[in-house]
Amino acid sequence: VTAAKAKDLAPLLVNLAVAAAATVKKDAPVVPLAPRFGFVAKAIADSRLKSAEQVAAAVKFVGSASSDNIDNNAFNAACGVGVVVSPEEIASAVAKTLEAKKSDLDKKKWAAIGPILGALRNDLRWANQALVKDEVEKQLAKLLGPKEAQTTTKAAPSTNSNSDATTSAARPSILEMAKSFKFVFEGQLANLHKPGGNPQIKESLMKEHLARTGGKVVTRFPPEPNGFLHIGHAKAINVNFGYATAHKGITYLRYDDTNPEAEEEMYFTSILEMVRWLGFEPTEVTYSSDHFQRLYDLAVDLVRRDKAYVCHCTGEEIHEMRGGDSMGPRKECSHRNRPVAESIREFKRMKDGEYAEGEAILRMKMDMFNPSPQFWDLVAYRVLYSPHHRTGEDWCIYPTYDYTHCLCDSFEDITHSLCTTEFQLSRESYYWLVDALEIYKPVQWEYGRLNLTHAVLSKRKLLKLVKEGYVRGWDDPRLYTLIAVRRRGFTAEAINAFVRDIGVTTANTVIPVERLENYVRDHLNEVAPRRMAVLEPIRVTLVNLPEDHRELIEVPENPRDESAGKRPVPFTRTLYIDASDFRENAADDPSFFRLAVGSTVGLLSVPHAILAHGVVRDPATGRVVEVLATYLDPTLAAAPGGAPAAAAGGKPRAYIQWVADSPRDGSPVRVEARHYSHLFRHANPFDKRAVPGGWLTDLDTDSLQVLPHALADCRLRGARVADRFQLLRLGYYSVDPDSEPQEGRFVLNRTVSLKEDPGKSKEAAKTK
């Protein structure tokens, strides 16, 4: 086999392995079925099977065959071998589907492409799906026009002072991406089985399951309530809820609450709150603890079937029997073959509280000599004297994840048990247990975890950061828990768009955190009202205006959204600009176009520029505390000692934000601004070569900068906690919960900065 062909075969062989594992029957291990799977592997190798759909059909066919003697003709017919779907047939089928979906196309335009591809996958099962997609796009372009024209908002000048978030010509809006099901109908999720397509140990189990579900897709999001959800969970939520919604199914939120020592009410509350914040509503909220009695009864049944036993070995002894640190020979526990009645009696003693913690456990009798550690007689129950948040002290034994998870999936008729790849090995034990008990068997499918650079998502490590005071709490905006990014000002729409747009594969991914920030920036650029603020204010006096001068200037709320309207801000003789926008002498820097003595600058939304001609210093420090300037309105006379009002003509080369001193208008608003940077200096704080001292030594102690004396324009005064704004030329900010709006005290978190651009602000040109 050539290297090129091997590369083509590898994905199909992986599909074979996954599908085969789900087909294995009770008491029929993989080895006796190997000839059948080998037959399929050979069909892949000789290019009879060329797609994942064909491999799935092949596994189903050989799994239901009455013997190892596979009928080639029947096999070829069932798997579409040799079936050639011509381009003309594809074009015809696409045209029929587009006609049938005409109403959807009229409403959704190009956004309807995902469901269309899903429908055609059924109609053109054996066609080359890449050709199908090309034909769909070709015909849609004829019907709707170019895709780019459909996904571009009306051209408008950038409202960012640094032109940082202009909409890409070929990119849909963040809101469209957040609602898109494209990730479901493309890639590996598109190849998952349909309800009823997963073989059972007894055919009656599937009939009963379909009678209960009506053939719907049923998924679940099953977090452990022992911590706060993070950005990786946002992907899991979108995958589970999104897959079910795309197929008109249902999704449960199930708390996997089997470890009372680590569970707290605040975690339960926060998990549901975050699911809803992201925009999802579970069909029902369930708990593993709902099934404690049923789980116990099934454990007794498992013992009766001689598939479980009570063990009194210590953890160290079990470790050694599994090969120990040297990974040596494994051996079975001395309690493994005790009489069934004895294990039932001992298990009841565990339940009745006759054993201390660690003195007895219930283990599943699997296969200690199987190469997979998931078969080394996993623990099903342990003694634990901790009150449970829901059942109190009713139980002193609690089931493990390996025992509970698959059974609760079965109880809830889950069709697609979607989880991350660290549970891939658990799939075999998952199937073993439900088959051992002869109950309905869901299908487990794994996808890659989402990780971010410069971030820690491990619950254990997050807990260490919080408990040891490295951060201010679970919602510290430098973390990537969902409550933290919400506090920082990220939008749910941006997060959903991000996780859906990166897609779903079996590969674990580490995404640059800047990519997530771009989605947030793009969305806030679309929706955030604009405000003006100065972070380090310096006073400017326009000496040729009267002391009581006050005029109201209409300023756009959001220049990208005319419907947002305008609001007035006062313009007075005294105002504040940012200290970074002034230099007493800028002659040595030809790229500095803002305010300097002897030069002009424009003020955003103000009709005329100002010209600086002097400064006032603090006599004690010599620091400039005030700039004296002239408002260059040609109708005004020059003030004594000031520059003539018409001294400088022409258009200013730069525009800056400003805040008026107008007590009657409640201006300025005093603000504390908090700026956040990466909590860790390196993209991967766990890289021992880059960070030899360990991940905690990579913490950036300067990742939080507090600016306590910032000032904002009076429009901020009505803001509420969690409101988001673009502060012109500064970035996007969110009102922090530490604020006290009723008292006029505001704390603003910088959500994301504007991309740096040394050039002149385009928004300044737009709003001058």
Side-chain angles (χ1 to χ4, degrees), residues 181-194:
F181 293 112
K182 179 181 177 182
F183 75 106
V184 172
F185 295 109
E186 294 185 359
Q188 292 166 309
L189 279 178
N191 294 324
L192 298 187
H193 72 286
K194 299 176 179 61

Side-chain angles (χ1 to χ4, degrees), residues 557-568:
E557 280 289 278
N558 184 345
R560 295 183 67 86
D561 180 7
E562 292 183 2
S563 67
K566 297 181 178 182
R567 287 181 63 183

Side-chain angles (χ1 to χ4, degrees), residues 697-767:
T697 66
D698 199 45
L699 286 165
D700 184 354
T701 55
D702 296 322
S703 55
L704 168 61
Q705 179 189 12
V706 178
L707 301 162
H709 305 300
L711 301 175
D713 76 58
C714 58
R715 293 174 296 168
L716 187 70
R717 195 165 293 281
R720 297 172 297 180
V721 170
D723 282 353
R724 305 176 184 92
F725 304 96
Q726 183 195 108
L727 298 186
L728 297 180
R729 298 182 63 243
L730 297 176
Y732 296 96
Y733 289 75
S734 177
V735 181
D736 188 81
D738 287 345
S739 302
E740 296 175 320
Q742 299 301 323
E743 305 298 323
R745 178 177 176 268
F746 289 89
V747 176
L748 298 184
N749 295 319
R750 186 170 67 182
T751 306
V752 288
S753 65
L754 300 175
K755 286 184 179 179
E756 293 183 357
D757 182 350
K760 179 176 58 178
S761 162
K762 290 187 179 180
E763 183 159 31
K766 165 76 174 175
T767 60

